[in-house]
Amino acid sequence: MKRRSIILISAFVTLFFVGCTDLDEVWYDKVVPETFYKSKENIMSALYRPFTHARWYVTGDRWKVQEYTADHFAITTKGPHWYNGGENERYHYHRWTVEDNWIWQTWRGTLMGVALALDTKQDLEKLDYTKFTLTQEDKDSHISQLNTLIAFFYLNGLDYFGGLPVFTDLEAENVPRSTDQETFNHIESLLLDALDKLPVKKAGEPEEGVLKKGAAAAMLARLYFNAEAYTGSPMYEEAAALCRDIIAGEYGEYSLDPDWFGPFDFYNNESPEVIWSMPSEFNKLQYDWYYADFYHYNSRVYFDVDLGANNGGHLQPSRKPDSSLYMNEFELGSPYEKFNDADLRKQAYKYQGGGRYEGMFLVGKQISPVTGERSLGTQEYKDQLIVLDDRVGRFSEIGPGKTYSSVSELPSKMSEGEENTGIRLVKAPVPSMNDNTLRWGADHAVIRLAEIYYMLAECNWRAGDRESAAELINQVRSRNFADGADPDPATAANLDEYRMLDEWGIEFLGEGRRRTDLVRWNKFTTEAWWDHEPSGSEHLNRFPIPQEAISGNNNLEQNSGY
């Protein structure tokens, strides 16, 4: 095998156990890229490998640190379940430490992605593509895709941690962190270079995971859009210019999907809105983590599937135990009730067969729309119909001889969940057993055009043009209502900073970005929601460098405040 990749396992060992920054390897043979690659298939297999890592990267712990630290999702303790040594509460209450595993896995996964993409890039750069019936254009595309993927990992790492060790090859070891600005500049240079060489998406062309000009342009827009949070220097004008060009088709043919479910359904690779996605198919388990983490033990009955679940995460409550609204007390949070009642997405999820479905939530009585069978409880409500509740409280402990005499006495906080606590999001559709071949068929949409509209809207809002900001948001909102009749459109008068954050939260609920949006608006550490009090500690806008990373590389400096 090739000189580097046969021993990539040694890089993995280093990344896993020596802090992700000592990327030196031991060579076990003399094989080099020029002799390892025998066919076009070898090249494509090598190219796809770091994309497989990216598919893993956009889920799991990276999603958790973005969403469970913010105001939309929680993993409440449900009786004897899900306390997890206090881990879930630490993230929710912003008390994480340098030892916490989600943070370590995020650091490790970020630099592992860089290492995989950089390793493949270095090998492909050495090849004469004409020997494999490929062209220089193919080579430029492959190298540019890998540069874009490296930029993607670094962009996320900058968001989570600030400055990172910047690698341009895999020979260095114990590399110190670059500054925030240096990391920013490295990401920018990778994306600008890639924009010249990436292919352009054509109208009607399905999205199959290939990184194209539109994806690189969108990542660059993301970088500029959040530049103030990353480096202290706002670049909203630069972000707006890119967004206008993307919408105008300068970087490929994209358009808003006419249906709200189009970017997420089983055939979303055909959606004109998806700019970049992680391909999926039956048995590839792209969304198995999502199903397992969100749904009740017996949600399989509601969905009519053969899948088990852990009954962990759910939407944070919109209502107090007495059913009054938290929206009357907090500007943030209350994710379910932020949806207008006429919003088609607010309906209960019902699979209708043939890949068709309606609604985006498991809410209320869990009676299967497919079979009519009832989903029954196994804990506090054993053998009773599960009714998923938009409240958090130990309602089973109310009554004579029990802990509480009335609802008014119930506390609502992370420690007080029950098995039916919380509405569950169904952003990735779940087919019934009759359509089992569609399972996990929805690709993971990482970037979609709606985000470009919302970035441009916010840039315009910050520039003082609230009318055009509202128009852009309403172009996306209208598809969420029957016949496009939106009863509460954004207007120049009602679009304040909280309405803007609500619009981000509604459209991108559960898409792994909420913390970033709160940080950009300086709300992450300064605002309250549900049972979360603001810390007022600005250093919490970034996560600490994990202790395992520092233990493996004493050149790493910890973020201030930790």
Side-chain angles (χ1 to χ4, degrees), residues 247-267:
I247 292 171
E250 295 293 325
Y251 296 102
E253 297 293 329
Y254 304 98
S255 60
L256 292 174
D257 200 294
D259 298 311
W260 68 264
F261 50 81
F264 312 105
D265 72 8
F266 304 104
Y267 313 103

Side-chain angles (χ1 to χ4, degrees), residues 172-209:
E173 54 182 273
N174 291 329
V175 176
R177 295 173 67 190
S178 294
T179 66
D180 302 339
Q181 188 66 58
E182 288 168 345
T183 305
F184 183 100
N185 293 346
H186 183 60
I187 299 165
E188 182 183 38
S189 65
L190 287 169
L191 293 172
L192 288 173
D193 181 71
L195 277 174
D196 291 335
K197 303 180 182 72
L198 287 171
V200 176
K201 179 183 182 294
K202 300 174 184 178
E205 187 177 13
E207 165 53 31
E208 302 292 355

Side-chain angles (χ1 to χ4, degrees), residues 33-73:
E34 294 87 338
T35 59
F36 170 72
Y37 289 95
K38 301 295 185 182
S39 66
K40 175 182 176 180
E41 288 70 25
N42 293 155
I43 291 175
M44 300 310 296
S45 294
L47 178 66
Y48 295 151
R49 176 62 189 92
F51 283 87
T52 302
H53 178 79
R55 188 183 69 196
W56 165 84
Y57 182 81
V58 296
T59 65
D61 293 322
R62 276 65 52 200
W63 188 95
K64 291 176 182 177
V65 296
Q66 282 282 56
E67 297 289 2
Y68 288 131
T69 61
D71 63 327
H72 284 168
F73 293 89

